[in-house]
């Protein structure tokens, strides 16, 4: 199925509203990406320890390196495929230094400048591993690993993968329904793992299947009234994860995504931002991701 996406309107929106990094990400999406410039834009958020902060995660504006920022860095490093960068291995090195004994990452490390940061980042327990954050960081690292051997062979990725696999399998035994965002990230982690460990990936998706309704709509507990994980949050591209969802649900969500493009050419989010900068930066980030998802399904 081939449909046209109003790229020109989106490009105009990104030029006028998005941060430079997301404008470079858009360039890769439309075939005119500049690896050197993109890596330079990403490096602006980088700390000397090899991690990232400074608002790379828009609602976590504190400067110190954070696991949440690492997921966004890996996302960019995956999108510049087949180009590799030493930043990827150095990020893995940093993640290894903040990994907890069980192999997981804390939801957040202590926030040094809490002003204008979302409360859930500020209040996070740095001594407890989080499946939600470990799985989303690891899934994007696995995307990088498909073209970067230093990431594929890094001991941090091995430890994080083992943690996520074990934590997902324990869901069968625990009397706990995973949070909607945690569930979406776990599903996407399993999908990303399928490139290297297809058997394990399928086993994990069978565990997760019981929590994912066929219509792919799961309300975000503690979020905004109309904040949901939707089919395309579980499967932003065709793959094993999309097998958990009814085909009609994916088609309906693609129609929703197309219709959600605003008159100014960009997309909005359905959650609350915690600073004026974050509200705008999320729109640029979300616009690039919306276009990427539409292209993945429409060809």
């Amino acid at each position: 199925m081939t449909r046209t996406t109003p790229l020109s309107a989106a490009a105009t929106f990104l030029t006028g509203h998005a941060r430079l990094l997301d404008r470079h990400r858009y360039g890769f999406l439309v075939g005119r990406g500049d690896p050197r410039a993109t890596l330079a834009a990403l490096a602006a958020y980088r700390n000397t320890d090899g991690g990232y902060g400074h608002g790379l995660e828009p609602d976590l504006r504190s400067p110190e390196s954070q696991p949440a920022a690492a997921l966004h860095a890996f996302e960019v490093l995956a999108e510049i495929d087949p180009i590799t960068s030493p930043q990827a291995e150095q990020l893995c090195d940093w993640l290894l230094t903040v990994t907890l004994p069980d192999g997981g990452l804390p939801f957040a490390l202590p926030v040094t400048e809490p002003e204008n940061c979302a409360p859930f980042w500020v209040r996070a327990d740095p001594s407890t591993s989080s499946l939600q954050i470990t799985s989303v960081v690891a899934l994007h690292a696995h995307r990088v690993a498909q073209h970067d051997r230093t990431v594929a062979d890094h001991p941090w990725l091995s430890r994080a993968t083992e943690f996520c696999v074990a934590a997902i399998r324990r869901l069968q035994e625990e009397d706990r329904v995973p949070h909607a965002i945690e569930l979406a990230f776990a599903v996407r982690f399993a999908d990303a793992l399928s490139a290297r460990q297809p058997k394990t990936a399928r086993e994990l998706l069978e565990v997760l299947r019981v929590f994912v309704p066929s219509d792919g709509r799961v309300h975000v507990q503690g979020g905004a009234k109309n904040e949901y994980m939707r089919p395309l949050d579980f499967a932003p591209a065709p793959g094993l994860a999309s097998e958990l969802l009814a085909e009609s649900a994916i088609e309906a969500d693609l129609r929703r995504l197309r219709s959600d493009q605003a008159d100014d050419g960009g997309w909005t989010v359905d959650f609350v931002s915690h600073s004026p900068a974050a509200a705008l930066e999320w729109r640029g980030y979300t616009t690039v991701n919306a276009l990427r998802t539409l292209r993945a399904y429409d060809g």
Side-chain angles (χ1 to χ4, degrees), residues 5-19 22-23 26-27 30 32 261-267 280 283-284 287-288 291:
T5 302
L7 286 174
S8 59
T12 299
F13 170 80
L14 292 167
T15 299
H17 298 82
R19 56 188 179 179
D22 290 316
R23 291 168 65 184
Y26 174 79
V30 296
R32 55 172 185 265
Q261 187 174 22
D263 291 342
D264 62 9
W267 273 259
L280 192 58
R283 288 203 67 201
T287 295
V288 174
L291 295 171

Side-chain angles (χ1 to χ4, degrees), residues 7-206:
L7 286 174
S8 59
T12 299
F13 170 80
L14 292 167
T15 299
H17 298 82
R19 56 188 179 179
L20 181 60
L21 180 61
D22 290 316
R23 291 168 65 184
H24 282 305
R25 293 178 61 223
Y26 174 79
F28 276 95
L29 183 62
V30 296
R32 55 172 185 265
D34 182 336
R36 181 175 297 181
T38 303
L39 289 169
L42 178 61
Y45 298 90
R46 191 170 181 270
N47 288 310
T48 56
D49 59 15
Y52 296 79
H54 305 281
L56 183 55
E57 155 61 43
D59 277 314
L60 183 47
R61 309 204 70 78
S62 194
E64 75 283 338
S65 297
Q66 289 283 356
L71 81 89
H72 294 294
F74 277 135
E75 193 170 30
V76 175
L77 292 163
E79 290 170 358
I80 66 172
D81 178 16
I83 303 300
T84 61
S85 166
Q87 290 188 53
E89 182 179 14
Q90 292 159 6
L91 177 54
C92 290
D93 291 342
W94 174 76
L95 286 164
L96 196 58
T97 70
V98 298
T99 292
L100 296 173
D102 61 2
L105 294 169
F107 189 72
L109 298 168
V111 176
T112 61
E113 296 182 12
E115 297 80 11
N116 298 305
C117 295
F120 51 80
W121 295 123
V122 177
R123 295 194 300 257
D125 180 359
S127 66
T128 302
S129 290
S130 163
L131 173 59
Q132 178 174 321
I133 201 68
T134 308
S135 62
V136 71
V137 176
L139 80 86
H140 288 300
H142 274 289
R143 294 177 58 217
V144 179
Q146 292 182 37
H147 71 277
D148 189 333
R149 178 51 57 183
T150 65
V151 175
D153 294 340
H154 201 282
W156 166 75
L157 184 56
S158 176
R159 291 191 64 191
T161 299
E162 290 174 2
F163 168 82
C164 292
V165 169
I168 293 170
R169 284 177 169 159
R170 280 199 304 272
L171 291 174
Q172 290 182 310
E173 307 164 6
E174 299 174 346
D175 186 20
R176 181 178 74 87
V177 176
H179 187 274
I181 299 174
E182 178 185 39
L183 176 60
F185 289 166
V187 168
R188 290 171 58 185
F189 165 80
D191 189 281
L193 186 63
S194 66
R196 301 181 71 192
Q197 300 181 38
K199 182 175 182 293
T200 300
R202 286 192 174 277
E203 291 172 352
L204 296 181
L205 287 171
E206 285 306 308

